[in-house]
Amino acid sequence: MILVTVGTHNQGFDRLVQAADELAAELDERVIIQRGSSTYRPKHAEYFDFATSQRMVELTQAARIIVMHAAAGAIITALRQGKPLVVVPRLKQFGEVVDDHQQQLATALQARGQAVVVTEPSISTLFSVLVQSTYEYKASTSTMLINALRGQLNAWNVSAMSIMSKS
């Protein structure tokens, strides 16, 4: 399942909601959109306006990948769940926020390798980053697992050497 979330901001985020809905029509995967104050009503995806923080955590846990606006709280929730993130910052030029702080946060997340950023949401941009994010997340997870296993093996080797030297 792909979760798309735009938060509780009082300004809508129709660019993302509409693009995600159009993408849902092309996918063979469940898409759930939290549309907040947006005026666009999805035709192809499941949607709701607002939910409790507990419900958002549940949806985040169930999601394969999350497409979201660049709000710190939502990002922290997704990162805690270890989910791959596609971040679409709200932009001042479209009347989605009062300043471009979301762009700054999104850029910082991407620079740290914690998210992929899309500034122009469309079927093609979202599709390509969903594929890219899924691949990169699996690769980084595999690398983290390999590194953790190597570390544990090294620790066991050090312990074994220590025990052998005492005998």
Side-chain angles (χ1 to χ4, degrees):
M1 180 259 289
I2 298 169
L3 175 63
V4 180
T5 178
V6 302
T8 59
H9 198 277
N10 64 350
Q11 292 169 292
F13 198 4
D14 289 321
R15 287 185 314 127
L16 176 55
V17 174
Q18 185 171 352
D21 183 47
E22 290 170 357
L23 178 64
E26 304 298 321
L27 296 178
D28 190 25
E29 182 172 4
R30 183 177 179 203
V31 176
I32 300 176
I33 301 172
Q34 181 268 318
R35 66 181 207 105
S37 298
S38 303
T39 58
Y40 179 86
R41 292 198 181 274
K43 299 166 186 69
H44 309 287
E46 296 174 43
Y47 71 92
F48 61 94
D49 294 343
F50 301 100
T52 64
S53 59
Q54 179 58 40
R55 179 65 180 141
M56 291 307 295
V57 168
E58 291 167 3
L59 288 167
T60 300
Q61 289 171 337
R64 175 180 68 82
I65 192 165
I66 302 175
V67 179
M68 63 182 0
H69 68 141
I75 289 168
I76 290 168
T77 297
L79 290 174
R80 283 185 177 153
Q81 300 301 321
K83 300 296 177 171
L85 301 179
V86 174
V87 177
V88 183
R90 293 170 174 267
L91 298 175
K92 180 181 178 180
Q93 75 186 57
F94 297 110
E96 298 160 343
V97 285
V98 295
D99 60 32
D100 285 329
H101 70 280
Q102 286 201 359
Q103 180 67 46
Q104 295 164 352
L105 179 55
T107 301
L109 285 168
Q110 184 164 282
R112 295 183 61 176
Q114 294 178 299
V116 175
V117 176
V118 171
T119 54
E120 297 294 329
S122 68
I123 292 174
S124 61
T125 58
L126 290 177
F127 181 78
S128 72
V129 297
L130 286 173
V131 170
Q132 174 189 353
S133 295
T134 300
Y135 172 76
E136 287 178 358
Y137 182 75
K138 285 181 180 175
S140 70
T141 301
S142 297
T143 303
M144 289 184 332
L145 177 60
I146 290 166
N147 290 338
L149 288 171
R150 281 186 184 142
Q152 187 59 56
L153 288 172
N154 287 337
W156 286 338
N157 284 339
V158 169
S159 289
M161 300 277 265
S162 173
I163 291 169
M164 291 174 72
S165 67
K166 291 180 183 177
S167 324

